Amino acid sequence: MQGLGELETAVMEVLWRDPGPQRVRDVLDVLNTERDLAYTTVMTVLDNLHRKGWVSRERDGRAYRYVATRSREDAVANALRELLDSTKDPESVLLRFARSVSPRESEVLRRALDDTAADQ
C-alpha cells in the first residue's frame, strides 16, 4: 500500500478483515499466527497509523480500540491516484492498464465512466 510499510499494511489488513473496534491484543493475536511480534511493536504501529490518519481510536478502560478510517478500496484507489500523479505520462500508463484488464473489469470501468459522464 502506497505510504505504508509492510507491517503497517499487515495491521490494516487485520482491521479491514474485521471492521469492528479492535484492541492491540486482538490485532497481535491475528498477526502472531504468521509471525512473532511483540505487543509494543503492534501498539507502536497502531499509534503511527493513528497519527497518519489511517485509523481512529477510542479509549476503552486503559487501552484503545482501533478502527480503520478508510476502506481497503479507498486506500488502493488513492495509491493508484498517487502513482498516476507521480508519472510523467499518465495517459500511457492508463492505456497500458486498460489493455491489461479482464472483460469483467473492462465492463466495470465502462459503467463507471458512463456514470461519471452522466453526472456532468
Side-chain angles (χ1 to χ4, degrees), residues 6-11 28 30-37:
E6 179 186 342
L7 190 51
E8 289 173 324
T9 301
V11 168
L28 178 66
V30 173
L31 291 174
N32 273 349
T33 61
E34 302 165 4
R35 15 178 137 199
D36 189 24
L37 298 169

Side-chain angles (χ1 to χ4, degrees), residues 8 10 12 14 21 23 26 28 32 36 69 75 84 94 110 112 118:
E8 289 173 324
M12 290 304 300
V14 172
R23 299 169 301 146
D26 301 328
L28 178 66
N32 273 349
D36 189 24
T69 58
L84 283 173
L94 280 172
R110 282 183 215 287

Side-chain angles (χ1 to χ4, degrees), residues 75-89:
V76 171
N78 187 54
L80 289 172
R81 177 77 264 156
E82 288 177 14
L83 286 171
L84 283 173
D85 290 345
S86 71
T87 184
K88 292 180 189 209
D89 189 5

Side-chain angles (χ1 to χ4, degrees), residues 30-95:
V30 173
L31 291 174
N32 273 349
T33 61
E34 302 165 4
R35 15 178 137 199
D36 189 24
L37 298 169
Y39 180 93
T40 54
T41 300
V42 176
M43 183 174 64
T44 299
V45 170
L46 281 162
D47 188 56
N48 289 341
L49 289 168
H50 178 259
R51 186 176 36 77
K52 291 178 177 182
W54 284 82
V55 300
S56 63
R57 66 185 181 191
E58 192 173 299
R59 210 108 359 228
D60 183 13
R62 291 180 25 196
Y64 285 108
R65 290 193 177 267
Y66 294 86
V67 176
T69 58
R70 55 184 91 171
S71 70
R72 176 187 285 115
E73 294 78 13
D74 285 340
V76 171
N78 187 54
L80 289 172
R81 177 77 264 156
E82 288 177 14
L83 286 171
L84 283 173
D85 290 345
S86 71
T87 184
K88 292 180 189 209
D89 189 5
E91 293 84 8
S92 179
V93 173
L94 280 172
L95 287 172

